[in-house]
Amino acid sequence: MTDPSNSHHSQTTKQSGQWWDEDRGGKEEKGREMARGEWRLQLQNRGNWNCSYKKITLLVCFFNIVVALYSLRSLYASLYIYSGSVAGNIVVYRPDQIRKMEESNRIRKDYKPAELMKLVKELEGEFSREDVVVKLPRHLKQKIIDEVMQKLDSLKGSSRNVSHPQVMAKEREAVENWRKQKLEEVKLAVVKGTSNSIIPHEEAGLLLRALETDWAVVSEEIGLWIPIEVGNEEHNDKPEGESEIEEEVLPGRPLPPQCNAELHTDYGGVAVRWGLTHHKDSAADCCQACLDHAKHAKENEKKCNIWVYCPSQFGCHSPDIYQHKYQECWLKYAEKPKLNFKDKYPEWYRNSHSSAPLVVPWASGIVST
């Protein structure tokens, strides 16, 4: 016989199992619905994002197209304006206008003062040539030097027992006479074109210019420097029988007796003061510098006893590599002073030194202690 309590318990258990199954199925169904909802939401958000990216891309492309079209329009407008302005400046002449212009040009050329222009050009050439010193070739300079040397050598016999100023005056007169004689000979060769002249016609023009207008410069270039004669009138108020002392003449103030100045002389020695950077206004100042150097020299120092001065405005020649300029003052020392050159440079020296002048331009002296 079945127990009623057990039957009721079994029924209750079956009902509880059915409710549990239904409740679990409902939860599963609800979970699936929620998952499907979230998936739809994600798809919707992704679609919205894709749509906004496409819109931005289209907007950027549209903006670039607008900018490009605007740039092309501006470039086309500028080209149009430039071509229009160029075309506006072009003048088109008619055939009759072109013919008249050609005729006016022809008339202007026919009435051009050709002769007057030629004369003006010749005058301009003459004026420009006056400002340029003639440059003689080396063989012409050597020819002038040789002839002047011959002229000066011919005076040696008649210059004995004659004072130095008188010798200088004779040399100056002899050179001037040679220049005048040579100038007449050159003029005949240039003006008349004489066939018996020994001077070639090409060289005659150069010599004419050199001897007539540029003689002072040319004489300095060849080393012909003769002291200018001082035309002072002296009164002979000395007692009879008193000997007169002839002094050397150099530009500037008079030299003291202890300077023992000698024109056209170059003494050698050890330089105690280089003249390249030591210039003096006169030979007297140069000699005084030598005396001062000897006075203030230290005990073991070499004392100046020779001064050498350049009185030529065109500089002085020397066989070294330096270019010696006007007013150079060399202070030297030598236990036994010796001459380098005196009066004139020898011919053998001038042959080996093409820039050597005829006459020694230096002035120097051995100071007296």
Side-chain angles (χ1 to χ4, degrees), residues 46-236:
R46 186 178 297 175
N48 291 337
W49 185 82
N50 290 335
C51 181
S52 62
Y53 178 76
K54 290 179 180 179
K55 287 180 180 179
I56 292 173
T57 305
L58 289 174
L59 287 174
V60 171
C61 292
F62 179 75
F63 179 76
N64 291 335
I65 292 172
V66 171
V67 172
L69 291 174
Y70 180 77
S71 301
L72 290 173
R73 181 181 178 280
S74 301
L75 180 61
Y76 176 77
S78 62
L79 291 175
Y80 178 77
I81 293 172
Y82 175 75
S83 61
S85 62
V86 171
N89 294 331
I90 298 176
V91 180
V92 180
Y93 294 100
R94 299 192 303 273
D96 58 334
Q97 292 177 331
I98 296 175
R99 186 172 58 256
K100 288 180 180 180
M101 285 190 289
E102 291 177 351
E103 185 177 358
S104 64
N105 289 334
R106 181 182 56 80
I107 294 173
R108 190 181 297 108
K109 290 180 180 180
D110 291 341
Y111 284 91
K112 192 175 183 179
E115 294 295 330
L116 179 60
M117 294 175 65
K118 184 178 179 181
L119 290 174
V120 170
K121 287 183 178 180
E122 291 178 357
L123 289 175
E124 288 179 352
E126 290 180 2
F127 283 120
S128 63
R129 285 194 297 270
E130 288 181 0
D131 298 334
V132 180
V133 178
V134 64
K135 297 293 183 182
L136 290 177
R138 180 178 175 181
H139 70 280
L140 281 182
K141 287 184 180 180
Q142 189 62 42
K143 186 176 181 180
I144 293 175
I145 291 173
D146 293 340
E147 293 186 10
V148 172
M149 280 289 293
Q150 291 178 1
K151 198 72 175 178
L152 294 178
D153 289 340
S154 63
L155 299 176
K156 288 183 178 180
S158 59
S159 299
R160 296 176 181 176
N161 300 326
V162 180
S163 63
H164 184 74
Q166 292 177 345
V167 172
M168 293 293 104
K170 284 187 177 182
E171 289 183 353
R172 192 181 303 106
E173 183 181 0
V175 172
E176 183 63 21
N177 290 336
W178 170 86
R179 187 185 72 85
K180 291 180 180 179
Q181 182 180 357
K182 197 71 176 178
L183 188 60
E184 292 296 329
E185 183 181 350
V186 171
K187 284 182 178 179
L188 288 175
V190 172
V191 178
K192 297 183 179 180
T194 55
S195 59
N196 58 346
S197 176
I198 61 174
I199 304 174
H201 189 270
E202 294 79 8
E203 298 179 358
L206 294 175
L207 286 173
L208 177 63
R209 178 75 182 278
L211 296 173
E212 190 172 25
T213 59
D214 299 334
W215 174 242
V217 178
V218 173
S219 61
E220 287 288 346
E221 287 183 357
I222 64 176
L224 181 62
W225 181 72
I226 302 175
I228 300 174
E229 182 180 3
V230 180
N232 294 330
E233 183 178 355
E234 297 181 359
H235 298 280
N236 188 11

Side-chain angles (χ1 to χ4, degrees), residues 13-27:
T13 303
K14 288 180 182 179
Q15 289 177 359
S16 297
Q18 291 177 358
W19 176 85
W20 174 257
D21 292 338
E22 290 177 0
D23 184 59
R24 187 176 60 182
K27 287 182 178 180

